[in-house]
Amino acid sequence: MENNEKLIRYMSVLAYIKTHAAYWDEYVLGSMKGYAQRGIDKEVFFKDSIREVYDELGYIPDDQNMYISFLNLINQQFGLEGKNIVEVGGGTLPRLGRRIHLKQNTGTITVYDPRIGKDIKGEDRFVLKREEFTTKTPVKGVDLLIGLMPCKGAEPLIEQAIKHKIDFMVWLCEGGPHGDYFDYFEDEEEWIGSTIYTATRGIEDQRMGKLVKIKQEEFSKYPIIYNQR
């Protein structure tokens, strides 16, 4: 019976990937198919593209679901109801943004990511922006900036939050070095340390409270940082 369930799940994941193949390039498609063969495990859930598909299909147990864990932490620290929230780097399937939208009765969630699937539709309070979030992106009226492993998108997120005194929470990841010729970071640890330092100083200078850094080791070795007023 268990093997039958695994096979059914595997076939449905492959069917979803095939139906929406235009969302991803050939490299990502190949890796997703490989991860799908492995079934449900922690490493699979850490890979964003296949994790999005598993969550879309309802295959991630709640206690192993990064989206649920991160959403609960955001709600605990800042609240979701009535907030105008911007998510940076929401992914091809904006699963965190969708979950936040379903949780809110009032307020909005706006998701920025050029990778968002072209036929995924937004709603009045669930706004999809198929573009990069930058330091010049308008943030007037935004109450909260968030990012679930947005890689180098963490940098403009934090810069905008500090500049405009907006509350923020970001789950960092292997965002640096970026490979640019001007990039002076030796490795991801140096980039993470620099990002945390910049956020800490900015929060202090702008009187936004203090920086909090926590880890949810069951999901990732990378820290979550946010300001606490």
Side-chain angles (χ1 to χ4, degrees):
M1 185 68 173
E2 183 179 348
N3 288 334
N4 286 339
E5 290 177 357
K6 288 182 179 179
L7 179 60
I8 292 170
R9 184 169 57 231
Y10 172 61
M11 295 304 294
S12 65
V13 170
L14 285 187
Y16 186 94
I17 293 172
K18 182 178 180 180
T19 301
H20 301 88
Y23 289 174
W24 305 281
D25 61 31
E26 288 301 317
Y27 174 80
V28 173
L29 281 171
S31 66
M32 289 172 68
K33 290 174 182 176
Y35 279 115
Q37 289 180 326
R38 295 176 52 168
I40 291 178
D41 68 33
K42 181 179 178 180
E43 187 174 351
V44 168
F45 294 157
F46 185 68
K47 305 299 180 180
D48 58 351
S49 295
I50 192 66
R51 180 179 69 236
E52 291 170 6
V53 173
Y54 270 95
D55 190 58
E56 178 81 12
L57 297 175
Y59 286 153
I60 307 179
D62 286 357
D63 62 349
Q64 298 179 48
N65 194 311
M66 293 177 72
Y67 302 113
I68 292 176
S69 180
F70 193 49
L71 183 153
N72 287 341
L73 183 62
I74 295 167
N75 195 29
Q76 175 186 336
Q77 297 300 325
F78 298 109
L80 298 173
E81 194 60 37
K83 296 288 180 69
N84 294 320
I85 302 170
V86 164
E87 181 189 4
V88 177
T92 303
L93 309 178
R95 294 302 305 157
L96 177 63
R98 175 64 72 183
R99 284 184 173 277
I100 289 173
H101 171 62
L102 294 174
K103 199 84 171 174
Q104 287 183 315
N105 293 306
T106 59
T108 62
I109 172 69
T110 302
V111 183
Y112 282 83
D113 201 315
R115 301 172 299 169
I116 295 172
K118 289 182 172 55
D119 60 351
I120 298 175
K121 301 186 184 303
E123 300 178 31
D124 288 344
R125 295 186 298 102
F126 179 48
V127 182
L128 302 179
K129 297 282 190 177
R130 292 175 173 86
E131 60 190 81
E132 296 281 356
F133 181 90
T134 73
T135 55
K136 296 182 179 180
T137 299
V139 291
K140 184 177 181 180
V142 175
D143 299 307
L144 179 64
L145 283 163
I146 61 172
L148 173 57
M149 298 186 172
C151 294
K152 65 180 181 180
E155 295 170 355
L157 186 161
I158 292 170
E159 184 172 334
Q160 287 272 50
I162 299 297
K163 180 179 179 180
H164 298 280
K165 299 183 179 181
I166 300 171
D167 290 331
F168 72 92
M169 180 180 289
V170 56
W171 198 330
L172 298 174
C173 62
E174 67 284 10
H178 306 148
D180 300 319
Y181 74 90
F182 54 81
D183 192 356
Y184 52 85
F185 296 112
E186 294 294 331
D187 53 40
E188 65 182 32
E189 290 301 322
E190 186 177 354
W191 175 77
I192 288 173
S194 174
T195 300
I196 292 174
Y197 176 78
T198 299
T200 302
R201 289 297 305 271
I203 288 169
E204 292 174 353
D205 291 346
Q206 292 284 64
R207 301 179 184 273
M208 295 170 62
K210 64 178 181 179
L211 182 128
V212 177
K213 180 180 75 171
I214 65 170
K215 283 189 177 181
Q216 295 189 346
E217 297 281 2
E218 66 271 32
F219 297 112
S220 170
K221 67 177 181 178
Y222 299 104
I224 300 168
I225 60 173
Y226 58 94
N227 72 300
Q228 185 178 73
R229 297 182 190 264

